[in-house]
C-alpha cells in the first residue's frame, strides 16, 4: 500500500522498498486524491509498468466500503489469506 505524491510520483520510501522486495509484492493499493485529475493514484500505474506489479485499487482517504471489498476479494483470490 502506498500513496501518490507530486504529480503522480512514487514516494521515495515506496521506491526504495520495491527495489529490495518487488519480487515478493503481489499487488498495489494506492491512495490519492481525485483533485489531482489524471495524476490520481498514478504511482500505482508507474509501479505496475516499472516493476510488473498489478495495480489492485486506487482509493481516496481511508477507502470506501467498495474499495475495501475489492481489496479483500483480491487477497482472498490470490492468496487465500483471509
Ligand atoms: C504535496 C502533495 C502532492 C500530492 N500529489 C498527489 C498526486 O499526484 N496524486 C494523487 O492521487 N494524490 C496526491 N496527493 C494526495 C495524497 O496522495 C493523499 O493525501 C494521500 O494518499 C493520503 O490520503 P489522505 O490525505 O486522504 O489521507 C498529494 C498530496 C500532497 C500533500
Amino acid at each position: 500500500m502506498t500513496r501518490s505524491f507530486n504529480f503522480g510520483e512514487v514516494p521515495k520510501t515506496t521506491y526504495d522498498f520495491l527495489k529490495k522486495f518487488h519480487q515478493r509484492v503481489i499487488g498495489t493499493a494506492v491512495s490519492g486524491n481525485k483533485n489531482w485529475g489524471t495524476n490520481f493514484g498514478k504511482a500505482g500505474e508507474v509501479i505496475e509498468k516499472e516493476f510488473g506489479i498489478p495495480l489492485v485499487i486506487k482509493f481516496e482517504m481511508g477507502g470506501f466500503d467498495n474499495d475495501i471489498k475489492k481489496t479483500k476479494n483480491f487477497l482472498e483470490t490470490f492468496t487465500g489469506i483471509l
Side-chain angles (χ1 to χ4, degrees):
M1 190 175 295
T2 187
R3 61 179 171 166
S4 280
F5 219 56
N6 283 339
F7 304 96
E9 277 178 16
V10 179
K12 185 180 178 326
T13 47
T14 302
Y15 199 80
D16 290 346
F17 175 85
L18 287 174
K19 274 196 288 189
K20 278 192 191 166
F21 299 115
H22 65 96
Q23 280 169 327
R24 303 181 65 182
V25 179
I26 59 169
T28 307
V30 59
S31 73
N33 188 310
K34 285 186 179 168
N35 289 340
W36 287 84
T38 55
N39 287 315
F40 169 56
K42 196 174 166 194
E45 287 151 38
V46 174
I47 289 168
E48 190 167 55
K49 203 169 173 189
E50 195 161 327
F51 293 98
I53 298 168
L55 171 56
V56 178
I57 194 149
K58 293 182 181 185
F59 64 94
E60 290 189 289
M61 297 177 288
F64 296 99
D65 285 352
N66 204 34
D67 300 325
I68 294 164
K69 232 184 249 171
K70 273 190 191 166
T71 307
K72 281 187 172 171
N73 279 347
F74 172 82
L75 290 172
E76 274 170 7
T77 307
F78 286 88
T79 70
I81 61 172
L82 289 181

